[in-house]
Amino acid sequence: KEKSEGSIMEMNTVITISREYGSGGRDIGKLVAEKLDIPYYDQEITEIAAKKSGLSNEVLRENDEIATTSIFGNFMAGSYFFANQAYNANELTINDQLYLLESQIIHSLAEKGPCVIIGRCADYVLREHKHTLNVFVHADIEFRKKRAVEHYGISPKKIEEFLHKQDKHRAHYHSFYTDQKWKAIENYDLTIDSSRFGIDASVEMIIAAAKIKSGV
């Protein structure tokens, strides 16, 4: 009997999507989740973190996917949080606290079943998880500029500087907490240029790759 797209759920596949700003990675992730009928997590993770910590959701959103200097330093951050739970929360920056809390939430969500998780170093956080598909979505600069202006209302006059800052922030956040390069292809199972293939085709490629990796 031929299996449906929904049958991928039986394999407990978690799809993580890292993305360049303006590449459409968030929209692609939403569509993948809808087509596979599995949960989608992006800002929802920050909302769960706010409820668990008692901290303001607005404050956490302002610090989401941002790294600042901490007492641990870059070489410590990726391993310390998981290897040693005997930390003093008062010694952590709000960014470190949020990374730790969101990482714990990501582990919990992955254990519940298949889902799509956007950003937050989820590919690294779930590196020991048995059933993951790690995706990186990128695009050429003109495609990203157009989407950022049309979809997010960024001023055309400031768009190049804005994209440069976003890339810098995401690269720093990823390297700070994982000691890995954000765009390094060896960290992902699949990289997609959404400016070449478009949003819909990118969605279908991710679904196809998830099925192959799951043996569906």
Side-chain angles (χ1 to χ4, degrees), residues 1-203:
K1 183 179 179 180
E2 186 177 353
K3 295 183 179 181
S4 65
E5 285 186 344
S7 65
I8 195 172
M9 296 180 67
E10 299 173 8
M11 304 305 297
N12 203 27
T13 301
V14 176
I15 301 170
T16 73
I17 299 181
S18 299
R19 74 283 182 223
E20 289 183 327
Y21 190 95
S23 65
R26 179 176 282 111
D27 290 342
I28 289 169
K30 284 182 179 179
L31 288 170
V32 168
E34 288 175 8
K35 284 181 172 288
L36 292 176
D37 193 26
I38 59 178
Y40 167 89
Y41 298 106
D42 183 10
Q43 292 296 336
E44 294 83 355
I45 295 174
T46 308
E47 292 169 4
I48 295 171
K51 291 179 181 178
K52 284 181 173 290
S53 66
L55 296 171
S56 163
N57 190 33
E58 289 71 23
V59 170
L60 293 187
R61 284 198 177 197
E62 288 176 3
N63 289 276
D64 196 25
E65 292 194 275
I66 296 175
T68 57
T69 302
S70 76
I71 62 171
F72 302 119
N74 291 18
F75 71 98
M76 287 290 288
S79 60
Y80 180 88
F81 289 138
F82 298 109
N84 185 356
Q85 295 298 313
Y87 60 86
N88 184 343
N90 293 326
E91 295 177 336
L92 301 179
T93 66
I94 186 68
N95 310 84
D96 290 341
Q97 292 181 54
L98 182 57
Y99 174 79
L100 172 58
L101 188 53
E102 289 191 333
S103 296
Q104 292 170 341
I105 292 167
I106 287 170
H107 274 290
S108 177
L109 296 174
E111 289 303 317
K112 290 180 179 178
C115 58
V116 174
I117 300 176
I118 303 296
R120 296 167 182 82
C121 302
D123 57 302
Y124 179 82
V125 172
L126 297 176
R127 62 195 181 281
E128 302 298 332
H129 195 273
K130 293 182 179 179
H131 304 289
T132 59
L133 176 72
N134 299 319
V135 180
F136 187 83
V137 180
H138 58 101
D140 68 44
I141 191 65
E142 293 305 319
F143 180 90
R144 295 170 61 203
K145 286 162 62 174
K146 187 173 185 294
R147 279 189 63 88
V149 171
E150 293 180 354
H151 291 258
Y152 306 116
I154 309 301
S155 169
K157 295 180 180 179
K158 299 180 179 180
I159 188 60
E160 286 203 34
E161 179 184 1
F162 180 82
L163 289 179
H164 175 72
K165 286 184 177 179
Q166 290 296 318
D167 285 349
K168 187 175 180 180
H169 285 318
R170 290 183 179 181
H172 177 59
Y173 176 82
H174 196 89
S175 64
F176 185 89
Y177 287 114
T178 72
D179 199 28
Q180 295 179 349
K181 290 185 178 180
W182 177 48
K183 294 185 180 182
I185 59 174
E186 62 267 21
N187 297 330
Y188 305 99
D189 301 300
L190 177 67
T191 62
I192 299 177
D193 185 338
S194 57
S195 59
R196 293 193 179 194
F197 296 103
I199 300 299
D200 292 338
S202 297
V203 169

